Coordinates of all heavy atoms in Angstrom, one line a residue:
M146 N 98.1 46.4 101.5 CA 99.3 46.9 100.7 C 98.9 48.1 99.8 O 99.7 49.1 99.9 CB 99.9 45.8 99.9 CG 101.2 46.1 99.1 SD 102.5 46.4 100.3 CE 103.8 46.5 99.1
A147 N 97.8 48.0 99.1 CA 97.4 49.1 98.2 C 97.1 50.3 99.1 O 97.3 51.4 98.7 CB 96.3 48.7 97.4
G148 N 96.5 50.1 100.3 CA 96.1 51.2 101.2 C 97.4 51.9 101.7 O 97.3 53.2 101.8
R149 N 98.4 51.2 102.0 CA 99.6 51.8 102.5 C 100.3 52.6 101.4 O 100.8 53.6 101.6 CB 100.6 50.8 103.0 CG 100.2 50.2 104.4 CD 101.3 49.3 104.9 NE 101.0 48.9 106.2 CZ 101.8 48.1 106.9 NH1 102.8 47.6 106.4 NH2 101.4 47.8 108.1
L150 N 100.3 52.0 100.1 CA 100.8 52.8 99.0 C 100.1 54.1 98.7 O 100.7 55.1 98.5 CB 100.8 51.8 97.8 CG 101.5 52.3 96.6 CD1 103.0 52.6 96.9 CD2 101.5 51.3 95.5
R151 N 98.8 54.0 98.8 CA 98.0 55.3 98.6 C 98.3 56.3 99.7 O 98.4 57.5 99.5 CB 96.5 55.0 98.7 CG 96.0 54.4 97.4 CD 94.5 54.2 97.4 NE 94.1 53.3 96.3 CZ 93.0 52.6 96.4 NH1 92.3 52.5 97.5 NH2 92.8 51.8 95.4
L152 N 98.4 55.8 100.9 CA 98.7 56.7 102.1 C 100.1 57.3 101.9 O 100.3 58.5 102.1 CB 98.7 55.9 103.4 CG 98.9 56.7 104.6 CD1 97.8 57.9 104.8 CD2 98.8 55.8 105.9
A153 N 101.1 56.5 101.5 CA 102.4 57.1 101.3 C 102.4 58.1 100.1 O 103.1 59.1 100.3 CB 103.4 55.9 101.0
A154 N 101.7 57.8 99.1 CA 101.6 58.7 98.0 C 100.9 60.0 98.4 O 101.4 61.1 98.0 CB 100.8 58.1 96.8
L155 N 99.8 59.9 99.1 CA 99.1 61.1 99.6 C 100.0 61.9 100.6 O 100.1 63.1 100.5 CB 97.9 60.6 100.4 CG 97.0 61.8 100.9 CD1 96.6 62.7 99.9 CD2 95.8 61.2 101.7
L156 N 100.8 61.2 101.4 CA 101.7 61.9 102.3 C 102.7 62.7 101.5 O 103.1 63.8 101.9 CB 102.3 61.0 103.3 CG 103.2 61.5 104.4 CD1 102.5 62.6 105.2 CD2 103.8 60.4 105.2
A157 N 103.3 62.0 100.5 CA 104.4 62.7 99.7 C 103.8 63.9 99.0 O 104.5 64.9 98.9 CB 104.9 61.6 98.7
L158 N 102.6 63.8 98.6 CA 101.9 64.9 97.9 C 101.7 66.1 98.8 O 102.1 67.2 98.5 CB 100.7 64.5 97.2 CG 99.8 65.6 96.5 CD1 100.7 66.1 95.4 CD2 98.5 65.1 96.0
V159 N 101.2 65.8 100.0 CA 101.0 66.9 101.0 C 102.4 67.5 101.4 O 102.4 68.7 101.4 CB 100.3 66.3 102.2 CG1 100.4 67.3 103.4 CG2 98.9 65.9 101.9
L160 N 103.4 66.7 101.6 CA 104.7 67.3 101.9 C 105.2 68.2 100.8 O 105.8 69.2 101.0 CB 105.6 66.2 102.3 CG 105.4 65.5 103.6 CD1 106.3 64.3 103.9 CD2 105.5 66.5 104.8
A161 N 105.0 67.7 99.6 CA 105.5 68.5 98.4 C 104.8 69.8 98.3 O 105.4 70.8 98.1 CB 105.3 67.7 97.1
V162 N 103.5 69.8 98.5 CA 102.7 71.1 98.4 C 103.1 71.9 99.6 O 103.2 73.2 99.4 CB 101.2 70.8 98.4 CG1 100.4 72.0 98.6 CG2 100.8 70.1 97.1
A163 N 103.3 71.5 100.7 CA 103.6 72.2 101.9 C 105.0 72.9 101.8 O 105.2 74.0 102.4 CB 103.5 71.4 103.2
T164 N 105.9 72.3 101.0 CA 107.2 72.9 101.0 C 107.5 73.8 99.8 O 108.6 74.4 99.7 CB 108.3 71.8 100.9 OG1 108.0 70.9 99.8 CG2 108.3 70.9 102.2
V165 N 106.5 74.0 98.9 CA 106.6 74.8 97.8 C 106.6 76.3 98.3 O 105.7 76.7 99.1 CB 105.5 74.6 96.8 CG1 105.5 75.7 95.7 CG2 105.6 73.3 96.2
A166 N 107.6 77.1 98.0 CA 107.6 78.5 98.3 C 106.6 79.3 97.7 O 106.2 79.0 96.5 CB 109.0 79.0 98.0
P167 N 106.0 80.3 98.3 CA 105.1 81.1 97.6 C 105.7 81.9 96.5 O 107.0 82.0 96.5 CB 104.7 82.1 98.8 CG 105.7 82.0 99.8 CD 106.4 80.7 99.7
A168 N 105.0 82.3 95.5 CA 105.4 82.9 94.3 C 106.2 84.3 94.8 O 105.7 85.0 95.6 CB 104.4 83.3 93.4
A169 N 107.3 84.5 94.2 CA 108.2 85.7 94.6 C 107.5 86.9 93.8 O 107.1 86.7 92.7 CB 109.6 85.5 94.1
T170 N 107.6 88.0 94.5 CA 107.1 89.3 93.8 C 108.3 89.8 92.9 O 109.5 89.3 93.2 CB 106.8 90.3 94.9 OG1 108.0 90.6 95.6 CG2 105.8 89.8 95.9
P171 N 108.0 90.6 92.1 CA 109.1 91.2 91.2 C 110.2 91.9 92.1 O 111.4 91.8 91.8 CB 108.3 92.1 90.3 CG 107.0 91.6 90.1 CD 106.7 91.0 91.6
E172 N 109.7 92.6 93.1 CA 110.7 93.3 94.0 C 111.6 92.2 94.7 O 112.8 92.5 94.8 CB 109.9 94.1 95.1 CG 110.9 94.9 95.8 CD 110.3 96.0 96.7 OE1 109.0 95.9 96.9 OE2 110.9 96.8 97.2
Q173 N 111.1 91.1 95.1 CA 111.9 90.1 95.8 C 112.8 89.5 94.8 O 114.0 89.3 95.1 CB 111.0 89.0 96.4 CG 110.2 89.3 97.5 CD 109.2 88.2 97.9 OE1 108.6 87.6 97.0 NE2 109.0 88.1 99.2
L174 N 112.4 89.3 93.5 CA 113.3 88.8 92.5 C 114.4 89.7 92.2 O 115.6 89.3 92.1 CB 112.5 88.5 91.2 CG 111.5 87.3 91.3 CD1 110.6 87.3 90.0 CD2 112.2 86.0 91.5
V175 N 114.1 91.0 92.1 CA 115.2 92.0 91.9 C 116.2 92.0 93.0 O 117.4 92.0 92.9 CB 114.5 93.4 91.6 CG1 115.7 94.5 91.6 CG2 113.8 93.5 90.3
E176 N 115.7 92.0 94.3 CA 116.5 92.0 95.5 C 117.4 90.9 95.6 O 118.6 90.9 96.0 CB 115.6 92.1 96.8 CG 114.9 93.4 96.9 CD 115.9 94.6 97.2 OE1 116.9 94.5 97.8 OE2 115.5 95.7 96.7
D177 N 116.9 89.7 95.0 CA 117.7 88.5 95.1 C 118.5 88.3 93.9 O 119.2 87.3 93.7 CB 116.7 87.3 95.2 CG 116.0 87.2 96.6 OD1 116.5 87.9 97.6 OD2 115.0 86.5 96.7
G178 N 118.5 89.3 92.9 CA 119.4 89.2 91.8 C 118.9 88.3 90.7 O 119.6 88.0 89.7
H179 N 117.5 88.0 90.7 CA 116.9 87.1 89.6 C 116.3 88.1 88.6 O 115.1 88.1 88.4 CB 115.9 86.2 90.2 CG 116.4 85.3 91.2 ND1 117.3 84.2 90.9 CD2 116.2 85.2 92.6 CE1 117.6 83.6 92.0 NE2 117.0 84.1 93.0
F180 N 117.2 88.7 87.9 CA 116.7 89.8 87.0 C 116.0 89.3 85.7 O 115.1 90.0 85.3 CB 118.0 90.7 86.6 CG 118.6 91.3 87.7 CD1 119.9 91.0 88.1 CD2 118.0 92.4 88.5 CE1 120.6 91.5 89.2 CE2 118.7 93.0 89.5 CZ 119.9 92.5 89.9
K181 N 116.4 88.2 85.3 CA 115.7 87.7 84.1 C 114.2 87.4 84.5 O 113.3 87.7 83.7 CB 116.3 86.4 83.6 CG 117.2 86.6 82.4 CD 117.6 85.2 82.0 CE 118.0 85.2 80.5 NZ 118.6 84.0 80.1
Q182 N 114.0 86.7 85.5 CA 112.6 86.4 86.0 C 111.8 87.7 86.3 O 110.7 87.8 85.9 CB 112.7 85.5 87.2 CG 113.2 84.0 86.9 CD 113.3 83.3 88.2 OE1 113.4 83.8 89.3 NE2 113.5 82.0 88.0
A183 N 112.5 88.6 87.0 CA 111.9 89.8 87.3 C 111.5 90.6 86.1 O 110.4 91.2 86.0 CB 112.8 90.7 88.2
R184 N 112.4 90.6 85.1 CA 112.1 91.4 83.8 C 110.9 90.8 83.2 O 109.9 91.7 82.7 CB 113.2 91.3 82.9 CG 113.0 92.1 81.7 CD 114.2 92.1 80.7 NE 114.6 90.7 80.4 CZ 115.8 90.4 79.8 NH1 116.5 91.3 79.4 NH2 116.1 89.2 79.5
A185 N 110.6 89.6 83.1 CA 109.5 88.9 82.5 C 108.2 89.4 83.2 O 107.1 89.8 82.6 CB 109.5 87.5 82.5
L186 N 108.2 89.4 84.5 CA 107.0 89.8 85.3 C 106.8 91.3 85.2 O 105.6 91.8 85.0 CB 107.1 89.4 86.8 CG 107.2 87.9 87.1 CD1 107.5 87.8 88.6 CD2 105.8 87.3 86.9
L187 N 107.9 92.1 85.3 CA 107.7 93.5 85.3 C 107.2 94.1 84.0 O 106.5 95.0 83.9 CB 109.1 94.1 85.7 CG 109.4 94.0 87.1 CD1 110.9 94.4 87.4 CD2 108.6 94.9 88.1
E188 N 107.7 93.5 82.8 CA 107.3 94.0 81.6 C 105.7 93.9 81.4 O 105.1 94.8 80.9 CB 108.0 93.2 80.5 CG 109.4 93.5 80.3 CD 110.1 92.7 79.2 OE1 109.5 91.7 78.8 OE2 111.2 93.0 78.9
R189 N 105.2 92.7 81.9 CA 103.7 92.6 81.8 C 103.0 93.6 82.7 O 102.0 94.2 82.4 CB 103.3 91.2 82.1 CG 103.6 90.2 81.1 CD 102.9 88.8 81.4 NE 103.4 88.3 82.6 CZ 104.3 87.4 82.8 NH1 105.1 87.0 81.7 NH2 104.7 86.9 84.0
Q190 N 103.5 93.7 84.0 CA 102.8 94.6 84.9 C 103.0 96.1 84.5 O 102.0 96.9 84.7 CB 103.5 94.4 86.3 CG 103.1 93.1 86.9 CD 103.7 92.9 88.3 OE1 104.3 93.8 88.9 NE2 103.5 91.7 88.9
L191 N 104.2 96.4 84.0 CA 104.3 97.8 83.5 C 103.5 98.2 82.3 O 103.0 99.3 82.2 CB 105.8 98.2 83.3 CG 106.2 99.6 83.1 CD1 105.9 100.4 84.4 CD2 107.6 99.7 82.8
Q192 N 103.3 97.3 81.4 CA 102.4 97.4 80.3 C 100.9 97.8 80.8 O 100.3 98.6 80.2 CB 102.4 96.2 79.4 CG 101.9 96.4 78.0 CD 102.2 95.2 77.1 OE1 102.2 94.1 77.5 NE2 102.3 95.6 75.9
A193 N 100.6 97.1 81.8 CA 99.2 97.3 82.3 C 99.1 98.5 83.3 O 98.0 99.2 83.4 CB 98.7 96.1 83.1
N194 N 100.3 99.0 83.8 CA 100.3 100.1 84.8 C 101.5 101.0 84.5 O 102.5 101.0 85.3 CB 100.4 99.6 86.2 CG 99.2 98.7 86.5 OD1 98.0 99.1 86.5 ND2 99.5 97.4 86.9
P195 N 101.6 101.6 83.3 CA 102.8 102.4 83.0 C 103.0 103.6 83.9 O 104.2 104.0 83.9 CB 102.4 102.9 81.6 CG 101.0 102.9 81.5 CD 100.5 101.8 82.4
N196 N 102.1 104.0 84.7 CA 102.4 105.2 85.6 C 102.5 104.7 87.0 O 102.4 105.5 88.0 CB 101.3 106.2 85.5 CG 101.3 106.9 84.2 OD1 102.4 107.2 83.6 ND2 100.2 107.1 83.5
D197 N 103.0 103.5 87.2 CA 103.3 103.0 88.6 C 104.8 103.2 88.8 O 105.6 102.7 88.2 CB 103.0 101.5 88.7 CG 103.2 100.9 90.0 OD1 104.2 101.1 90.5 OD2 102.2 100.2 90.5
A198 N 104.9 104.1 89.8 CA 106.3 104.6 90.2 C 107.2 103.4 90.5 O 108.4 103.3 90.1 CB 106.3 105.6 91.2
Q199 N 106.7 102.5 91.4 CA 107.5 101.4 91.9 C 107.9 100.5 90.7 O 109.1 100.0 90.6 CB 106.8 100.6 93.0 CG 107.7 99.5 93.5 CD 107.0 98.7 94.7 OE1 105.8 98.7 94.8 NE2 107.9 98.1 95.5
L200 N 107.0 100.2 89.8 CA 107.3 99.4 88.7 C 108.4 100.0 87.8 O 109.3 99.3 87.3 CB 106.1 99.1 87.8 CG 105.0 98.2 88.5 CD1 103.8 98.0 87.6 CD2 105.5 96.8 88.8
N201 N 108.3 101.2 87.6 CA 109.3 102.0 86.8 C 110.6 101.9 87.4 O 111.6 101.7 86.8 CB 108.8 103.4 86.5 CG 107.9 103.6 85.4 OD1 108.3 103.5 84.2 ND2 106.6 103.7 85.7
W202 N 110.6 102.1 88.8 CA 111.9 102.0 89.6 C 112.5 100.6 89.4 O 113.7 100.4 89.3 CB 111.6 102.3 91.0 CG 112.7 102.1 91.9 CD1 113.9 102.8 91.9 CD2 112.7 101.3 93.0 NE1 114.7 102.3 93.0 CE2 113.9 101.4 93.7 CE3 111.8 100.4 93.6 CZ2 114.3 100.7 94.8 CZ3 112.1 99.7 94.8 CH2 113.4 99.8 95.3
L203 N 111.7 99.5 89.6 CA 112.2 98.2 89.5 C 112.7 97.9 88.1 O 113.7 97.2 87.9 CB 111.1 97.2 89.9 CG 110.7 97.2 91.4 CD1 109.5 96.4 91.6 CD2 111.9 96.7 92.3
V204 N 112.0 98.3 87.1 CA 112.4 98.1 85.7 C 113.8 98.9 85.5 O 114.7 98.4 84.8 CB 111.4 98.5 84.7 CG1 112.0 98.6 83.3 CG2 110.2 97.7 84.8
A205 N 113.9 100.0 86.1 CA 115.2 100.8 86.0 C 116.4 99.9 86.6 O 117.4 99.8 86.0 CB 115.1 102.2 86.7
R206 N 116.1 99.3 87.7 CA 117.1 98.5 88.3 C 117.5 97.3 87.5 O 118.7 96.9 87.4 CB 116.6 98.1 89.7 CG 116.5 99.3 90.7 CD 116.0 98.9 92.0 NE 116.9 97.9 92.7 CZ 116.6 97.3 93.8 NH1 115.4 97.4 94.3 NH2 117.4 96.5 94.4
V207 N 116.4 96.7 86.8 CA 116.7 95.5 86.0 C 117.5 96.0 84.8 O 118.5 95.3 84.3 CB 115.4 94.9 85.5 CG1 115.5 93.9 84.4 CG2 114.7 94.2 86.8
H208 N 117.2 97.1 84.1 CA 117.9 97.6 82.9 C 119.4 97.9 83.4 O 120.3 97.6 82.6 CB 117.3 98.8 82.4 CG 116.1 98.6 81.5 ND1 116.3 98.5 80.2 CD2 114.9 98.3 81.7 CE1 115.1 98.2 79.6 NE2 114.2 98.1 80.6
R209 N 119.6 98.5 84.6 CA 121.0 98.7 85.1 C 121.7 97.4 85.2 O 122.9 97.3 84.9 CB 120.9 99.5 86.4 CG 122.3 99.9 86.8 CD 122.3 100.7 88.1 NE 121.9 99.7 89.2 CZ 121.3 100.1 90.3 NH1 121.0 101.3 90.5 NH2 120.9 99.2 91.2
A210 N 121.0 96.4 85.8 CA 121.7 95.1 86.0 C 122.2 94.5 84.7 O 123.2 93.8 84.6 CB 120.7 94.2 86.7
F211 N 121.4 94.7 83.6 CA 121.8 94.2 82.3 C 122.7 95.1 81.5 O 123.0 94.9 80.3 CB 120.6 93.9 81.4 CG 119.9 92.6 81.9 CD1 118.6 92.6 82.5 CD2 120.4 91.4 81.7 CE1 117.9 91.5 82.9 CE2 119.8 90.2 82.1 CZ 118.6 90.2 82.8
G212 N 123.2 96.2 82.1 CA 124.0 97.1 81.5 C 123.4 98.1 80.5 O 124.0 98.8 79.8
D213 N 122.1 98.2 80.5 CA 121.3 99.2 79.7 C 121.2 100.5 80.5 O 120.1 100.7 81.1 CB 120.0 98.6 79.2 CG 119.2 99.6 78.4 OD1 119.7 100.6 78.0 OD2 117.9 99.3 78.2
I214 N 122.2 101.3 80.5 CA 122.3 102.5 81.3 C 121.2 103.5 80.8 O 120.4 104.1 81.6 CB 123.6 103.2 81.4 CG1 124.6 102.1 82.0 CG2 123.6 104.4 82.2 CD1 124.2 101.5 83.3
P215 N 121.1 103.7 79.5 CA 120.1 104.7 79.0 C 118.7 104.3 79.4 O 117.8 105.1 79.8 CB 120.3 104.7 77.5 CG 121.8 104.3 77.3 CD 122.0 103.3 78.4
G216 N 118.4 103.0 79.3 CA 117.1 102.5 79.6 C 116.9 102.6 81.1 O 115.8 103.0 81.6
A217 N 117.9 102.3 81.9 CA 117.8 102.5 83.3 C 117.4 104.0 83.7 O 116.6 104.2 84.6 CB 119.0 102.0 84.0
I218 N 118.2 104.9 83.1 CA 117.9 106.3 83.3 C 116.5 106.7 83.0 O 115.8 107.4 83.7 CB 119.0 107.2 82.6 CG1 120.4 107.0 83.2 CG2 118.6 108.6 82.5 CD1 121.5 107.6 82.4
N219 N 116.0 106.3 81.9 CA 114.7 106.5 81.4 C 113.6 106.2 82.4 O 112.8 107.0 82.8 CB 114.5 105.9 80.0 CG 113.1 106.2 79.5 OD1 112.7 107.4 79.5 ND2 112.3 105.2 79.1
Y220 N 113.7 104.9 82.9 CA 112.7 104.4 83.8 C 112.9 105.0 85.2 O 111.9 105.3 85.9 CB 112.8 102.9 83.9 CG 112.2 102.2 82.7 CD1 112.9 101.7 81.7 CD2 110.8 102.2 82.5 CE1 112.4 101.1 80.6 CE2 110.2 101.6 81.4 CZ 111.0 101.1 80.4 OH 110.5 100.5 79.3
A221 N 114.2 105.3 85.6 CA 114.4 105.9 86.9 C 113.8 107.3 86.9 O 113.2 107.8 87.9 CB 115.9 105.9 87.2
Q222 N 114.0 108.0 85.8 CA 113.5 109.4 85.7 C 112.0 109.3 85.8 O 111.4 110.3 86.5 CB 113.9 110.0 84.4 CG 115.3 110.5 84.3 CD 115.8 111.1 83.0 OE1 115.2 110.6 81.9 NE2 116.7 112.0 83.0
K223 N 111.4 108.4 85.2 CA 109.9 108.4 85.3 C 109.5 108.0 86.6 O 108.5 108.6 87.2 CB 109.3 107.3 84.3 CG 107.9 107.4 84.2 CD 107.3 106.7 83.0 CE 105.8 106.9 83.0 NZ 105.1 106.2 81.9
A224 N 110.2 107.1 87.4 CA 109.8 106.8 88.7 C 110.0 108.1 89.6 O 109.0 108.3 90.4 CB 110.7 105.7 89.3
V225 N 111.0 108.8 89.4 CA 111.2 110.0 90.2 C 110.1 111.1 90.0 O 109.6 111.7 90.8 CB 112.6 110.7 90.0 CG1 112.7 112.1 90.6 CG2 113.7 109.7 90.7
Q226 N 109.7 111.2 88.7 CA 108.7 112.1 88.2 C 107.3 111.6 88.9 O 106.6 112.6 89.3 CB 108.6 112.1 86.7 CG 107.5 112.9 86.2 CD 107.3 112.8 84.7 OE1 107.9 111.9 84.1 NE2 106.6 113.8 84.1
L227 N 107.1 110.4 88.9 CA 105.8 109.9 89.5 C 105.8 110.0 91.0 O 104.7 110.1 91.6 CB 105.5 108.5 89.0 CG 105.3 108.3 87.5 CD1 105.3 106.9 87.1 CD2 103.9 109.0 87.2
A228 N 106.9 109.8 91.6 CA 107.0 109.8 93.1 C 108.2 110.5 93.6 O 109.2 109.9 94.0 CB 107.0 108.3 93.6
P229 N 108.2 111.8 93.6 CA 109.4 112.6 93.8 C 109.9 112.5 95.3 O 111.0 112.9 95.6 CB 109.0 114.1 93.5 CG 107.6 114.0 93.3 CD 107.1 112.6 93.1
S230 N 109.0 112.0 96.2 CA 109.4 111.9 97.6 C 110.2 110.6 98.0 O 110.6 110.5 99.1 CB 108.3 112.1 98.5 OG 107.4 111.0 98.3
K231 N 110.3 109.8 97.0 CA 110.9 108.4 97.3 C 112.5 108.6 97.1 O 112.9 108.6 95.9 CB 110.4 107.3 96.3 CG 109.0 107.0 96.6 CD 108.9 106.1 97.9 CE 107.6 105.4 97.9 NZ 107.5 104.4 98.9
A232 N 113.2 108.5 98.1 CA 114.6 108.6 98.1 C 115.3 107.5 97.3 O 116.3 107.7 96.6 CB 115.3 108.6 99.5
D233 N 114.7 106.2 97.4 CA 115.3 105.1 96.6 C 115.3 105.3 95.1 O 116.2 105.0 94.5 CB 114.6 103.8 96.9 CG 114.9 103.3 98.3 OD1 115.9 103.7 98.9 OD2 114.2 102.5 98.8
Y234 N 114.3 106.0 94.6 CA 114.1 106.3 93.2 C 115.2 107.3 92.8 O 115.8 107.2 91.7 CB 112.7 106.8 92.9 CG 111.6 105.9 93.3 CD1 110.3 106.3 93.1 CD2 111.8 104.6 93.8 CE1 109.2 105.4 93.5 CE2 110.8 103.7 94.2 CZ 109.5 104.2 94.0 OH 108.4 103.3 94.3
H235 N 115.4 108.3 93.6 CA 116.4 109.3 93.3 C 117.9 108.6 93.4 O 118.7 108.9 92.5 CB 116.5 110.4 94.4 CG 115.3 111.4 94.2 ND1 115.3 112.4 93.3 CD2 114.1 111.3 94.7 CE1 114.1 113.1 93.3 NE2 113.4 112.5 94.2
L236 N 118.0 107.7 94.2 CA 119.4 107.0 94.4 C 119.6 106.2 93.2 O 120.7 106.2 92.6 CB 119.4 106.2 95.6 CG 120.7 105.3 95.9 CD1 121.8 106.3 96.1 CD2 120.5 104.4 97.1
T237 N 118.6 105.5 92.7 CA 118.8 104.7 91.5 C 119.0 105.6 90.3 O 119.9 105.2 89.4 CB 117.5 103.9 91.2 OG1 117.2 103.0 92.3 CG2 117.6 103.1 89.9
L238 N 118.4 106.7 90.2 CA 118.7 107.7 89.1 C 120.1 108.2 89.2 O 120.8 108.3 88.2 CB 117.7 108.8 89.1 CG 117.8 109.9 88.0 CD1 117.8 109.3 86.7 CD2 116.8 110.9 88.3
A239 N 120.6 108.4 90.4 CA 121.9 108.9 90.5 C 123.1 107.9 90.3 O 124.1 108.3 89.9 CB 122.2 109.5 92.0
E240 N 122.8 106.6 90.5 CA 123.7 105.5 90.2 C 123.9 105.4 88.8 O 124.7 104.9 88.3 CB 123.3 104.3 91.0 CG 123.2 104.4 92.4 CD 122.7 103.1 93.1 OE1 121.9 102.3 92.5 OE2 123.1 102.9 94.3

């Protein structure tokens, strides 16, 4: 009986671990509309890498989602400045 119980517990643990989704990236969180979660991750990453164009672009999108248009413009401008060939960054700035 104890052996079956252990086996059942082990099987449940394996299934639980196997079904856990991999950690979402900030970009995935923004795309899926999880702006609060994305903001927490992006703030830390941007602090460590302030000249990362993609991070600035994602932060701009988060600021826009929260209605902070001046903040969104600021980060979008920096993203465009850092990577002027990225059309998505220009689009975010224009919106």
Side-chain angles (χ1 to χ4, degrees):
M146 181 72 170
R149 283 187 176 179
L150 189 55
R151 281 189 198 146
L152 182 59
L155 180 60
L156 181 58
L158 179 63
V159 168
L160 288 174
V162 170
T164 58
V165 172
T170 65
E172 187 170 12
Q173 289 170 324
L174 292 169
V175 170
E176 291 297 325
D177 293 342
H179 301 291
F180 299 110
K181 260 183 155 174
Q182 292 173 343
R184 181 176 56 189
L186 291 173
L187 287 166
E188 285 175 353
R189 288 191 301 267
Q190 290 181 3
L191 192 61
Q192 195 170 31
N194 303 298
N196 292 320
D197 184 303
Q199 183 179 24
L200 291 176
N201 277 280
W202 172 63
L203 290 169
V204 170
R206 293 177 63 193
V207 169
H208 278 264
R209 186 182 66 208
F211 283 111
D213 177 13
I214 303 307
I218 290 171
N219 181 50
Y220 286 104
Q222 284 176 332
K223 186 161 185 183
V225 167
Q226 178 185 15
L227 293 168
S230 64
K231 292 284 196 170
D233 287 342
Y234 301 176
H235 288 273
L236 180 61
T237 298
L238 181 57
E240 293 177 333

